[in-house]
Amino acid sequence: MTDVRALSLLASAIAATFTPAISQAAQSNSPDADSQSIEHVVTTSTRIAGDTTQPGIIVDTIGPEDIALTGSQHIQEMLNFVAGAGVQRGNGQEYLPALRSPVLTGSGACGGILAAEDNIPLRAAGFCNINELFEAHSEMAQRIEVLKGPASVLYGSNAIHGVINVITPDTTRDVHMLGYDYGSYGYNRVKLRQGKDFGNSGIGINASITRDTGYRDEEGVDQEKVNLRHRYNGDDVDITTGLTYTHLDQETAGYISGFESYKNEALAQTNEDPGAFREATALRIWSRIEMTLNNGDQLSVTPYVRDQDMDFRMHFLPGTPLEQNEQQGAGVQTQYRHQLSTHWSVDAGLDVEFTQGSLRQYQDSPTTGSAFLVETVPQGQHYDYEVDATMVAPYAALNWADGPWQVQFGARYEYMNYDYTNNLLDGRTRDDGTECGFGGCRYSRPASTDNSFSNLSPKASLSYAVSPQTQVYASVSRGYRAPQASELYRLQRDQQLADLVSVTATNVETGVKGNWQALDYQVSVYSLRKDNVIYRDSDFFNVSNGETWHRGVELSLDYALTDQWQLAFAGTYARHTYEHNEVLNDINIHGNDVDTAPKVQTNTRLTFLPDAHTQVALEWQHVDDYYTDPENLHEYEGHDLLNLRTAYDFGNGVTVFARVNNLLDERYAERADYSSFSGDRYFPSRPRNYMLSVQYDY
């Protein structure tokens, strides 16, 4: 892995070396004021700057005003504004994702949603982490974009249910901001945004430092995040270089057990896993090179490197082992656009990525509990493996536009290869080779091997402008995700080989968006069927013979009731069901609701603007009841939550924010779950809490 680490350090050195030189050259060759003010916007639906129209692809955006007013301590607070998103917060910065899906759980479930920052996936395709969005600087983002469903040829594996893309601000212009947040339960955050514009170049920083001692016993978060950016604008080429570094040191409070235990204030504050922790660092460096060629064709090339590692106490497993994982990698994203004629154009590209990953799981003390657990979950090393992964993905899309019509046909082909090396003894023995009783040890290590997966993802979409204010659209697409490394090589019980295939999804969607007088609206109807769904069966084998069906209706509204009153609404009604036969506890789950899949979720925000300096917003978040087990025998009752947020601009760049979260002091569960081992269990919410913020733009 030293080769990729060296590449990461080399990229840092190159950026540090050339930034001053380019900046000095820019000062002697500054363009006129008009060209300095041009912003090259790249969105989640394309890599070509300034191209914001992709037929049949709808991107929901959380903008800078909402981000500033929310002052979120967790990205889930902002994703509530998106219809179809149902992210559930865990403890600290942990969460479980949901986007047109049930809440995704399991070692590889994170592969259902692609998480990115500045269009660069946070993790390599085969090495996702269920909590990976804590490595994006969402707290100080310029905007957060959400693409739903497998809609774009730009994204392959891990984008079945969509993409959550955090866009960091362009700090290469003259920008100066200091901020401080102070909240309940020891919450403190310092924010800095500083930039310098040299004309046809610029450099800047976007940073935050967070300390949160927490509401529950022995919990807390220390977190630091920084974005660095450099910009160079030449006659025929624009180069933007970015660096993100994040560090998380978290003391974690786990589930509390017992039916509706979250309603008991004393129990809600307890921590049944006081030794749980998570410590993670992540570094990403990228450089986006955009060119307009002599014939008018456009080219975007984005090389990048990643370096990540994490230590994690697995408090939810018997014996509470320690997991240590890391990955280093490099890749490149490309997009080339050629105008064939007045109405026809083609987009094509090649994405390539190489990643070296490793995982170790070690238990430093004997297991406590039943004789079965003590014997089958031994002290010592459980897993120690390395995986070299190579991904190659060419894609192309043919576009046609004529008047109100826009049509796109495209496809992406992706080849993924894993070269897996087991550094321990093969099989389900202890690390010294001795056998466990009761049939063998819990953890099974497959022999070193290679696995490869190939997938083709066709897509077709169209849109029609009924009027300048109204657009209807429709799309048919196929998505996929290759099995994650943890699903292939982190086996249990008798399984010595995970014979898995890629998860596939077929999505059909139609909708309408537009505006009428003071109302902006968007309605979407979708049906997504997944095949080869990977799950752990009753024999503890990882298998890929599951089927699920996801369908729903989404509605988003922004309505200016008067000059002073505004209403925003994001709501979804959805069903997520098992479509395969599997018997659990004598119940065939075929047709059952997938667990942790509320049918109705809504977010309503009423904003009052009494004058040019004041803003007051009341938010109502509704989560419907949902089943907490596949058999649909246990459920959570749902909840309604009110939040109040205000902002006052004092002038001279000083703005003060005040927020009351959980205004009515509701006792609810951020997440509810049912385990056959522990019964009903919950991540309890915080009671009513406050945050006061001061921001100075100078």
Side-chain angles (χ1 to χ4, degrees), residues 186-207:
Y187 190 90
N188 293 269
R189 181 168 60 199
V190 179
K191 300 179 288 189
L192 166 69
R193 187 172 292 159
Q194 184 81 24
K196 180 62 178 176
D197 189 349
F198 298 105
N200 65 356
S201 76
I203 191 168
I205 184 173
N206 185 55

Side-chain angles (χ1 to χ4, degrees), residues 36 38-39 170-175 195-197 199 231 233:
Q36 290 182 53
I38 295 174
E39 181 181 3
D170 180 5
T171 53
T172 65
R173 313 293 173 173
D174 287 326
V175 58
K196 180 62 178 176
D197 189 349
R231 168 185 52 84
N233 303 118

Side-chain angles (χ1 to χ4, degrees), residues 589-668:
I589 66 171
H590 182 276
N592 278 10
D593 288 340
V594 180
D595 47 294
T596 325
K599 294 182 180 68
V600 177
Q601 294 188 83
T602 63
N603 182 275
T604 307
R605 286 167 288 148
L606 181 64
T607 301
F608 177 49
L609 304 167
D611 55 52
H613 303 280
T614 309
Q615 182 177 7
V616 182
L618 180 66
E619 177 190 21
W620 170 28
Q621 178 71 22
H622 170 73
V623 177
D624 205 8
D625 57 351
Y626 57 83
Y627 293 111
T628 56
D629 62 335
E631 301 93 322
N632 291 181
L633 298 176
H634 303 84
E635 61 183 305
Y636 170 66
E637 65 182 358
H639 59 261
D640 292 276
L641 184 66
L642 293 180
N643 301 311
L644 181 65
R645 305 180 179 110
T646 66
Y648 186 81
D649 182 1
F650 282 90
N652 297 319
V654 177
T655 306
V656 173
F657 302 86
R659 309 170 185 93
V660 185
N661 296 315
N662 193 3
L663 181 66
L664 300 182
D665 201 22
E666 177 80 6
R667 296 289 173 184
Y668 69 98

Side-chain angles (χ1 to χ4, degrees), residues 574-591:
R575 289 290 309 278
H576 308 280
T577 54
Y578 295 105
E579 298 299 312
H580 64 283
N581 291 303
E582 184 185 5
V583 177
L584 298 175
N585 298 319
D586 299 323
I587 296 174
N588 189 339
I589 66 171
H590 182 276

Side-chain angles (χ1 to χ4, degrees), residues 64-75 77-78 81 89 138-140 181-182 187 189 191 645-646 657-659 661 689-693 695:
E65 291 186 0
D66 285 332
I67 292 173
L69 183 63
T70 304
S72 66
Q73 300 178 25
H74 193 286
I75 191 172
E77 298 171 64
M78 293 180 288
F81 303 162
R89 186 172 179 176
S138 57
E139 303 91 333
M140 294 186 65
D181 303 326
Y182 177 77
Y187 190 90
R189 181 168 60 199
K191 300 179 288 189
R645 305 180 179 110
T646 66
F657 302 86
R659 309 170 185 93
N661 296 315
N689 59 93
Y690 309 87
M691 178 186 284
L692 181 67
S693 304
Q695 181 173 307

Side-chain angles (χ1 to χ4, degrees), residues 41-172:
V41 177
V42 177
T43 75
T44 302
S45 62
T46 182
R47 298 168 186 165
I48 299 295
D51 174 31
T52 58
T53 59
Q54 291 287 303
I57 299 178
I58 304 298
V59 178
D60 290 73
T61 301
I62 304 165
E65 291 186 0
D66 285 332
I67 292 173
L69 183 63
T70 304
S72 66
Q73 300 178 25
H74 193 286
I75 191 172
Q76 176 252 5
E77 298 171 64
M78 293 180 288
L79 292 175
N80 284 337
F81 303 162
V82 176
V87 175
Q88 289 192 346
R89 186 172 179 176
N91 185 251
Q93 290 299 303
E94 296 179 352
Y95 69 95
L96 291 174
L99 182 62
R100 286 189 175 176
S101 69
V103 168
L104 302 177
T105 62
S107 64
C110 46
I113 300 171
L114 191 145
E117 184 181 76
D118 295 319
N119 292 324
I120 308 296
L122 297 174
R123 297 288 182 109
F127 301 89
C128 71
N129 183 274
I130 204 75
N131 301 280
E132 60 195 355
L133 274 168
F134 64 56
E135 294 175 352
H137 204 171
S138 57
E139 303 91 333
M140 294 186 65
Q142 174 65 24
R143 63 188 186 276
I144 300 172
E145 297 184 339
V146 180
L147 184 154
K148 289 175 274 192
S152 172
V153 296
L154 298 180
Y155 302 101
S157 193
N158 292 33
I160 282 181
H161 289 283
V163 180
I164 299 173
N165 191 11
V166 176
I167 308 296
T168 61
D170 180 5
T171 53
T172 65

Side-chain angles (χ1 to χ4, degrees), residues 253-538:
Y255 287 104
I256 58 172
S257 303
F259 180 66
E260 295 189 344
S261 54
Y262 60 89
K263 294 183 177 181
N264 185 306
E265 181 178 358
L267 287 176
Q269 286 188 268
T270 62
N271 181 2
E272 297 179 11
D273 305 290
F277 71 92
R278 184 187 297 269
E279 185 167 4
T281 61
L283 172 69
R284 292 180 301 280
I285 305 172
W286 54 270
S287 189
R288 186 170 61 248
I289 305 162
E290 301 168 280
M291 291 177 280
T292 300
L293 307 181
N294 292 335
N295 63 353
D297 290 354
Q298 295 173 285
L299 176 65
S300 172
V301 180
T302 306
Y304 59 89
V305 295
R306 299 191 196 91
D307 191 342
Q308 295 159 315
D309 63 81
M310 182 172 67
D311 292 352
F312 171 47
R313 179 68 67 183
M314 305 179 76
H315 55 87
F316 46 85
L317 291 180
T320 62
L322 175 68
E323 176 188 318
Q324 297 175 307
N325 65 72
E326 61 181 30
Q327 57 176 280
Q328 297 81 36
V332 61
Q333 298 175 333
T334 65
Q335 183 176 354
Y336 178 75
R337 170 163 294 176
H338 175 64
Q339 195 72 35
L340 297 169
S341 66
T342 302
H343 301 299
W344 293 92
S345 66
V346 62
D347 289 303
L350 176 68
D351 296 348
V352 179
E353 183 174 86
F354 174 73
T355 304
Q356 295 177 321
S358 66
L359 183 142
R360 292 171 294 278
Q361 181 176 313
Y362 178 83
Q363 184 173 315
D364 53 13
S365 60
T367 303
T368 59
S370 68
F372 175 80
L373 287 178
V374 170
E375 180 62 24
T376 59
V377 183
Q379 182 179 358
Q381 296 187 79
H382 300 157
Y383 302 103
D384 183 353
Y385 64 76
E386 299 174 1
V387 180
D388 292 345
T390 302
M391 185 272 289
V392 180
Y395 67 88
L398 183 64
N399 312 298
W400 177 77
D402 186 6
W405 289 96
Q406 287 187 308
V407 181
Q408 182 181 84
F409 298 97
R412 181 185 180 96
Y413 172 81
E414 186 169 294
Y415 170 79
M416 172 71 77
N417 177 260
Y418 297 121
D419 182 0
Y420 157 78
T421 302
N422 176 31
N423 296 321
L424 295 176
L425 295 172
D426 299 342
R428 57 182 301 195
T429 67
R430 296 183 176 90
D431 57 9
D432 62 3
T434 58
E435 300 284 344
C436 293
F438 294 95
C441 301
R442 174 170 180 159
Y443 301 112
S444 177
R445 300 174 291 271
S448 299
T449 187
D450 282 6
N451 297 96
S452 60
F453 304 90
S454 298
N455 295 282
L456 179 66
S457 175
K459 305 172 192 293
S461 57
L462 64 86
S463 64
Y464 176 71
V466 179
S467 70
Q469 293 78 34
T470 306
Q471 179 189 69
V472 295
Y473 72 93
S475 66
V476 179
S477 58
R478 190 171 191 263
Y480 57 88
R481 78 164 178 90
Q484 301 294 295
S486 59
E487 294 171 317
L488 289 166
Y489 310 123
R490 209 172 185 178
L491 306 182
Q492 293 191 22
R493 311 293 172 103
D494 269 334
Q495 190 170 26
Q496 299 297 311
L497 175 68
D499 186 18
L500 304 178
V501 298
S502 296
V503 181
T504 60
T506 302
N507 185 64
V508 179
E509 179 175 351
T510 187
V512 58
K513 64 174 297 186
N515 58 78
W516 178 74
Q517 296 183 355
L519 173 66
D520 292 332
Y521 62 89
Q522 179 177 314
V523 182
S524 301
V525 182
Y526 70 92
S527 174
L528 184 149
R529 286 187 175 270
K530 288 167 62 174
D531 294 307
N532 308 322
V533 175
I534 300 172
Y535 65 97
R536 181 162 284 159
D537 67 11
S538 57

